[in-house]
Each structure stands twice: as C-alpha cells, then as structure tokens.
Amino acid sequence: MNWLVGWFGDAQQWLFESAVQPLLFYAGMANLLEDGYAATGWLLVGLLQIVIMVCVIAPLQLWRPVEAVTDRKAIRVDIIYTLIHRLGLFRLALFFTLDPLWDAIMGRLHVWGMPAFHLDDIWPGITDNAWISLLMYLLVFDLVEYWIHRGQHGYTWWWKLHAVHHSQRQMTVWSDDRNHLLDDVIHDTIIVLVAQLIGVAPGQFVAIVALTQLSQSLQHANVRMWFGWIGERLWISPRFHRRHHAVGIGHEPMAPVRNKKAHGNNFGVLLPWWDMLFGTANFELRYDPTGIRDQVRPDAAGQLRDYGQGFWSQQWRAILRLMGRA
C-alpha cells in the first residue's frame, strides 16, 4: 500500500503544482491552496476512474453486451452526469456550500465536549494496521450505503428523486452517476457525517469512495457477467445489480415476501452480504429489461410517465414529482 500511496501523492503534487495552483493564484484565491490540493486528489481519482472505464469496462460491453444499444442520446446524458461527478464539479459545489456548515457543526460539538473518535483505535496494534482499518471502514460505509439505498426506495418522497437513476432503460458503464442532484446532496451529507463520527482518515476515505464508484461503474455496465455461485456472494456483479434495475423487480414489493417492508431487491453497493442478511437478495441468473414500471406499462388513463430526456429535464421533472405536480 505504501508504494501506491507514494505514487498517488507524487501524481497529486505534480498535477497541483502544474495546473491547479497557478489557476488559484491567477483567480486571486491563494487562500484556498490547501483545499485546492485536496480537490486535486479527487480530480486525479476521477481521471483515473474514467481511464479505467474507457479502457477496461467499455470494451467488456462490446465483448458480451446484454442488449443492443438503441438509445445513444440517453447514454450521452449519462456521460454528462459522470463528468460532473467524477471530475469533481459536484464536490466543488458542496465545498463552497455544505462543507463549511458541517465543519462548523462538528467543530462546535467538539468544543461542547464531544470526544474525537477513531474506529481504528478500538484495538491498538491490530485495528490501526492500514489494511485492517481500511477493511473496517469499508464494511461500515458499505452497510451505511445499503440502508441509504433502502431509504431511497422505501420513502416515497426520496424515491421521487431516486427514480431519476432507475429511469435509465439503456444501462451502461456511464449510468452510475445518473442521479438527481438533491438526492446526491442527501446521500453525501449522510456519508460525510458518518465519516466525521467514526474518524476515517482522509486518504482512506478517498480510497473507499474511489473503489466504490469504480465497482458501481462495472455493476451498471451493459455486460453479460456474473461471478459464479461463490463469487456472487462475495462481491456484487453486473448481473446482481442489473436485477435491482429490472422492470417490476428492483422497485417492487418482494414476492414471496420475506421482508414485507422491502421495496425492491439487491440494494447492496459493494457486498451482497447485507442483502443476504436482511432478506433482500435475489440471485436469479437473469438479464431483464431495466427501467421503472410506469415507463412501460400505462396507468388507468393510458398514460406513461415521462422522466425526462435531458439532464435539466430529468432534474426538473423530479422536483415536480416531489411537489406532487407530475
């Protein structure tokens, strides 16, 4: 791990000194150099992810596609979402809006006596090992992600936002970041709050986020791939996650119902263990059409729901749904 951290640090320093730092000086924002350096790390992670998506995952889609590409316009919109998130534009917006608020709140809580806690300090000599602590934090965040995902499907108001993600019927490697921006704000706020509470180191937090995003890019790919009976129960595959996006499966009450409160199947982000533990796992080896039921099955009035074709249309229609006007 040390060599990887060293390589990444060198690359981050080079990118910062050659591009980001001069830009900040030119813009008269030298007071943000420290934050700019951190932002450079996120930018570098995003660039590396896009390279892997283009050079590794995209060819897999050509090799063993689940379905023929019929809607390239929808894919181009997903690429816009990906660039906004992976190149740090969304994170930059949070930096100037919500991050100062959360830093102020946590700082005030510590002043009032809330002790600083680090999960990797619970067993000195064991849990503070870099690999052990990384695994611990990964497990915690993955469990949190599972319950966030359950909330996105379980609460009607939240689903009206999360539906933007599920409305993509042409799933590809670019589909993971297709989310409503307000949905992302809620999600990231919860994750940052958890990170503050358990004391994850910044470097490990970046590594966990990067691994999670890249794995999710593979999960959404248009590729006929599964990991075998054992592998499917160790790590989430494209087949496992596609089942979550399937029309009439991913956002429907389970049948037979083992957990009556679960609206959908396969909510896990990295590990299928939480779905297995809480009764929401669906391991059927199938590749069904994806989307939402009301996109393809008319309502009583014979109407299909339109979730929007472009970026801004999808964002606006979700707000209208949230307001009860669509």
Side-chain angles (χ1 to χ4, degrees):
M1 175 178 285
N2 290 335
W3 71 267
L4 182 59
V5 172
W7 175 86
F8 184 86
D10 291 341
Q12 182 180 2
Q13 186 69 32
W14 174 84
L15 183 59
F16 175 72
E17 292 179 350
S18 60
V20 178
Q21 182 174 261
L23 183 61
L24 289 175
F25 277 121
Y26 178 78
M29 303 170 67
N31 59 312
L32 299 177
L33 287 177
E34 183 177 346
D35 296 307
Y37 183 77
T40 304
W42 287 109
L43 174 61
L44 180 59
V45 166
L47 290 172
L48 291 174
Q49 287 178 330
I50 290 174
V51 169
I52 295 174
M53 291 163 67
V54 171
C55 298
V56 178
I57 304 179
L60 290 176
Q61 296 184 136
L62 298 176
W63 173 51
R64 296 194 66 190
V66 173
E67 58 187 354
V69 174
T70 58
D71 191 349
R72 297 190 180 276
K73 179 181 178 180
I75 297 174
R76 288 195 293 269
V77 174
D78 283 358
I79 292 175
I80 293 174
Y81 279 102
T82 301
L83 295 179
I84 288 174
H85 285 80
R86 302 296 171 95
L87 297 184
L89 298 179
F90 178 73
R91 194 169 300 277
L92 186 64
L94 291 184
F95 165 74
F96 284 109
T97 54
L98 295 181
D99 283 0
L101 174 62
W102 285 116
D103 289 342
I105 292 174
M106 295 306 297
R108 178 58 60 182
L109 290 176
H110 288 308
V111 169
W112 288 345
M114 187 183 82
F117 174 75
H118 295 274
L119 184 62
D120 55 4
D121 286 342
I122 61 176
W123 191 353
I126 301 296
T127 56
D128 52 7
N129 175 276
W131 287 106
I132 298 297
S133 63
L134 180 64
L135 178 60
M136 290 173 54
Y137 286 121
L138 186 146
L139 288 171
V140 170
F141 281 113
D142 198 52
L143 177 59
V144 172
E145 290 277 12
Y146 171 83
W147 283 109
I148 289 175
H149 203 174
R150 284 284 295 268
Q152 289 170 322
H153 284 259
Y155 294 103
T156 301
W157 65 268
W158 205 349
W159 165 250
K160 291 176 181 179
L161 298 174
H162 188 59
V164 172
H165 180 69
H166 278 263
S167 64
Q168 175 57 285
R169 300 183 61 197
Q170 187 76 78
M171 282 179 61
T172 68
V173 62
W174 306 103
S175 299
D176 174 47
D177 290 308
R178 177 194 175 107
N179 298 301
H180 194 275
L181 296 178
L182 181 55
D183 190 11
D184 281 326
V185 168
I186 298 170
H187 169 274
D188 284 12
T189 296
I190 296 172
I191 293 299
V192 168
L193 180 60
V194 171
Q196 293 271 10
L197 292 175
I198 65 178
V200 61
Q204 289 186 320
F205 183 68
V206 171
I208 291 170
V209 171
L211 176 63
T212 300
Q213 289 179 330
L214 198 56
S215 181
Q216 288 182 295
S217 294
L218 175 62
Q219 292 166 19
H220 289 84
N222 178 28
V223 57
R224 191 175 295 272
M225 177 185 292
W226 75 303
F227 297 157
W229 193 93
I230 296 177
E232 288 279 291
R233 288 155 177 80
L234 296 177
W235 200 266
I236 291 176
S237 70
R239 184 223 54 84
F240 185 91
H241 192 68
R242 186 180 180 89
R243 195 80 180 131
H244 172 69
H245 278 263
V247 176
I249 301 293
H251 184 65
E252 302 290 337
M254 295 182 66
V257 179
R258 176 179 171 186
N259 187 332
K260 295 182 180 180
K261 294 183 179 180
H263 288 269
N265 297 216
N266 300 7
F267 296 100
V269 174
L270 292 180
L271 307 169
W273 307 346
W274 317 120
D275 284 297
M276 297 163 66
L277 178 63
F278 298 111
T280 55
N282 184 325
F283 287 104
E284 290 184 71
L285 186 55
R286 296 174 52 176
Y287 298 88
D288 296 282
T290 59
I292 306 173
R293 182 187 293 270
D294 56 17
Q295 286 179 295
V296 296
R297 301 179 189 178
D299 59 17
Q303 301 294 316
L304 296 175
R305 185 181 293 277
D306 181 7
Y307 287 88
Q309 303 302 312
F311 176 88
W312 291 113
S313 174
Q314 291 162 9
Q315 298 292 306
W316 177 241
R317 285 182 177 274
I319 295 297
L320 292 178
R321 288 194 301 274
L322 195 60
M323 298 169 61
R325 296 177 56 188

